[in-house]
């Protein structure tokens, strides 16, 4: 029950974050285009289009993370290898964004990115891989190892 709740909440928060980031990038791109801003002689049209592309890329990545978390919540199963890699990279991205946001934006942005980081990490840890079949014999059909001899009974094998 807790796993589904956390994964569903993470999916909702990621979709909201994707919408906010796309909106911020649209505003930044329009501001760059309208004021003909240029950094070191670069073309303002290229800069505004790059800002739009970055917003679309970030939004798509966060929506992908949200879809993977929602699928995990609906199925109540761990994401596959690709899904775990995407969610881990999303968690790493939020860790880096959290570090940058505390210096550039403030503590509220840091708290928000840290909350999303915690939801992603909790989703990954709650859906950790478990052995199939109850976990009584994790080795499958391999025989158990023989018991180790007592330390005092060890004898050399060479003459």
């Amino acid at each position: 029950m807790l796993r589904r709740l956390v994964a569903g909440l993470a999916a909702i928060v990621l979709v909201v974050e994707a919408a906010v980031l796309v909106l911020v990038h649209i505003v930044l791109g329009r501001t760059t285009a309208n004021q003909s801003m240029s950094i070191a002689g670069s073309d303002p049209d290229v800069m505004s289009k790059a800002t739009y592309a970055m917003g679309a890329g970030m939004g798509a990545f966060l929506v992908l993370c949200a879809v993977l978390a929602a699928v995990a919540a609906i199925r109540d199963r761990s994401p596959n290898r690709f899904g775990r890699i995407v969610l881990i990279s999303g968690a790493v991205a939020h860790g880096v964004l959290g570090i940058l946001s505390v210096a550039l934006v403030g503590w509220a942005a840091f708290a928000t990115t840290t909350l999303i980081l915690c939801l992603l990490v909790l989703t990954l840890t709650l859906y950790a891989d478990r052995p199939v079949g109850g976990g009584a014999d994790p080795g499958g059909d391999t025989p158990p190892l023989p018991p180790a001899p007592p330390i005092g009974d060890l004898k050399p094998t060479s003459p």
Side-chain angles (χ1 to χ4, degrees):
M1 181 69 185
L2 178 67
R3 297 187 313 179
R4 287 184 155 183
L5 179 68
V6 169
L9 187 61
I12 292 169
V13 169
L14 284 169
V15 168
V16 170
E17 182 187 15
V20 168
L21 277 177
V22 167
L23 180 66
V24 165
H25 280 84
I26 288 172
V27 169
L28 288 174
R30 285 193 181 161
T31 303
T32 304
N34 290 340
Q35 294 188 1
S36 297
M37 294 180 182
S38 176
I39 297 175
S42 55
D43 187 17
D45 290 333
V46 172
M47 289 177 57
S48 65
K49 287 182 182 15
T51 304
Y52 294 145
M54 186 64 183
M58 287 284 293
F61 176 70
L62 290 173
V63 167
L64 176 64
C65 288
V67 166
L68 292 171
V71 166
I74 291 170
R75 292 183 180 171
D76 199 22
R77 277 194 274 162
S78 174
N80 58 6
R81 180 175 293 191
F82 172 74
R84 282 191 304 252
I85 291 171
V86 170
L87 289 176
I88 289 169
S89 62
V92 169
H94 278 88
V96 171
L97 285 175
I99 292 168
L100 291 174
S101 67
V102 74
L104 299 174
V105 181
W107 288 103
F110 173 74
T112 303
T113 55
T114 305
L115 171 74
I116 298 169
L117 170 68
C118 291
L119 286 173
L120 285 172
V121 170
L122 191 58
T123 299
L124 286 166
T125 55
L126 288 176
Y127 282 106
D129 282 339
R130 295 191 180 105
V132 181
D137 185 18
D141 52 348
T142 59
L145 294 174
I151 294 180
D153 292 342
L154 292 178
K155 296 181 177 131
T157 56
S158 63

